[in-house]
């Protein structure tokens, strides 16, 4: 666990009081296999609801699973959702889901270009596309510019180069695979997983949602370090391909256990 136990105490205390409202707002919502998990959505809600954000800006709408949930969780907050490909077959599915959600505005374009121009004071950002170092660099750019109180990044897989950078350089980061969060809220996911060989409950979350809060770091410095780490990772990948070595894979020794929602 990161060395920020007081912040975790606060978050878990907020979460306990917010859980009934979360379950009520998300009742009946279908879950896409490739989307953000229920426990991760609740992680977002518990972190963001007490902040009363000016807007929520989402990058990576896809089929709008998380967009729809956010619009119901924050009915009085404007949701601006970005998607890169206006020709994707997911566009029609997302539009159908969101047709009655008056607080959602859907836009198309490159988040790497649009987000720095769009995000203003008080806006909370959720990045679910782009991915890996590109997502991490975008988050650090937004935080270095000031204004946003928090940026959340999805798909920070344990063992991935971007996640390793977070664990090494950004220790105040709040992560949804934290053991305390997993122990309490993994049951929100019907496909909660646990590693039978290592017993590491963090592996239950796989993709993982990370929260980077304003004021916790010198984000300009971390951005420079992140660029250097990405360059080093690209070099290692190039060498691996030249040597024809197999790619590094994440652990797959999971046993699936059925979970039920806490009520």
């Amino acid at each position: 666990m990161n060395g920020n136990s007081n912040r975790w105490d606060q978050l878990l205390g907020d979460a306990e009081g917010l859980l009934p409202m979360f379950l009520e707002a998300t009742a009946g919502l279908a879950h896409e296999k490739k989307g953000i998990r229920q426990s991760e959505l609740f992680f977002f809600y518990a972190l963001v609801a007490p902040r009363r954000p000016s807007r929520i800006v989402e990058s990576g709408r896809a089929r709008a699973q998380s967009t729809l949930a956010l619009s119901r969780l924050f009915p009085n907050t404007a949701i601006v959702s970005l998607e890169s490909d206006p020709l994707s077959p997911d566009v029609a599915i997302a539009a159908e889901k969101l047709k009655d959600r008056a607080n959602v505005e859907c836009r198309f374009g490159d988040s790497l270009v649009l987000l720095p121009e769009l995000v203003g004071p008080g806006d909370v950002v959720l990045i679910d596309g782009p991915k890996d170092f590109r997502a991490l660099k975008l988050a650090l750019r937004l935080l270095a510019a000031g204004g946003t109180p928090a940026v959340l990044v999805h798909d920070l897989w344990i063992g991935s180069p971007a996640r390793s950078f977070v664990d090494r350089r950004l220790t105040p980061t709040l992560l949804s695979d934290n053991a305390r969060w997993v122990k309490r809220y993994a049951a929100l996911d019907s496909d909660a997983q646990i590693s039978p060989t290592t017993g590491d409950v963090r592996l239950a979350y796989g993709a993982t949602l990370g929260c980077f809060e304003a004021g916790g770091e010198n984000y300009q410095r971390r951005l420079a370090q992140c660029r250097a780490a990405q360059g080093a990772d690209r070099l290692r990948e190039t060498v691996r391909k030249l040597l024809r070595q197999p790619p590094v894979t994440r652990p797959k020794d999971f046993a699936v256990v059925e979970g039920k929602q806490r009520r």
Side-chain angles (χ1 to χ4, degrees):
M1 184 176 64
N2 293 348
N4 50 3
S5 65
N6 289 340
R7 183 67 183 93
W8 270 106
D9 289 342
Q10 179 186 10
L11 173 59
L12 292 169
D14 290 340
E16 196 66 27
L18 290 168
L19 182 60
M21 288 176 281
F22 173 83
L23 293 175
E24 180 179 0
T26 58
L29 288 183
H31 178 69
E32 299 279 353
K33 289 184 178 180
K34 293 186 178 181
I36 296 177
R37 293 171 181 261
Q38 283 291 97
S39 54
E40 293 171 322
L41 277 173
F42 182 47
F43 182 73
F44 182 96
Y45 183 60
L47 281 161
V48 175
R51 296 178 180 276
R52 301 183 181 275
S54 302
R55 293 185 303 179
I56 295 172
V57 183
E58 174 197 43
S59 168
R61 181 168 59 255
R63 297 190 175 195
Q65 173 191 323
S66 57
T67 317
L68 177 58
L70 292 175
S71 74
R72 291 172 60 165
L73 289 166
F74 299 90
N76 299 315
T77 301
I79 312 290
V80 180
S81 179
L82 306 180
E83 179 56 46
S84 61
D85 184 5
L87 301 179
S88 167
D90 289 341
V91 171
I93 297 172
E96 178 64 22
K97 285 183 181 179
L98 300 172
K99 64 182 181 181
D100 297 324
R101 306 309 302 176
N103 63 330
V104 176
E105 177 187 356
C106 294
R107 301 188 188 185
F108 293 94
D110 185 350
S111 295
L112 296 175
V113 176
L114 294 179
L115 274 181
E117 299 174 351
L118 178 62
V119 174
D123 293 348
V124 169
V125 182
L126 172 60
I127 300 175
D128 196 16
K131 302 293 184 182
D132 303 314
F133 274 118
R134 295 171 74 238
L136 194 53
K137 288 192 302 180
L138 178 56
L140 295 174
R141 284 174 60 197
L142 296 173
L143 288 158
T148 177
V151 179
L152 290 95
V153 176
H154 194 225
D155 288 328
L156 289 174
W157 295 91
I158 292 174
S160 69
R163 172 60 182 273
S164 296
F165 177 84
V166 170
D167 289 340
R168 186 172 67 254
R169 297 287 191 181
L170 293 161
T171 54
T173 305
L174 299 169
L175 295 156
S176 66
D177 59 19
N178 179 281
R180 296 176 70 184
W181 187 265
V182 172
K183 183 177 180 180
R184 292 195 187 194
Y185 298 115
L188 289 170
D189 302 319
S190 61
D191 61 344
Q193 298 174 329
I194 188 168
S195 168
T197 57
T198 67
D200 189 346
V201 293
R202 295 179 307 160
L203 296 177
Y205 269 48
T208 302
L209 190 62
C211 178
F212 305 86
E213 299 181 307
E217 289 280 355
N218 180 336
Y219 286 113
Q220 197 68 51
R221 179 185 179 191
R222 296 306 184 209
L223 176 58
Q225 293 171 334
C226 186
R227 287 171 174 152
Q230 183 185 34
D233 181 64
R234 285 174 174 170
L235 179 59
R236 284 191 296 269
E237 183 64 12
T238 299
V239 171
R240 182 193 67 77
K241 289 180 178 179
L242 289 173
L243 297 177
R244 297 182 179 180
Q245 296 174 341
V248 176
T249 57
R250 59 187 179 85
K252 294 183 179 179
D253 62 337
F254 300 142
V256 177
V257 293
E258 291 300 322
K260 297 182 179 180
Q261 287 189 344
R262 290 179 47 156
R263 294 189 182 274

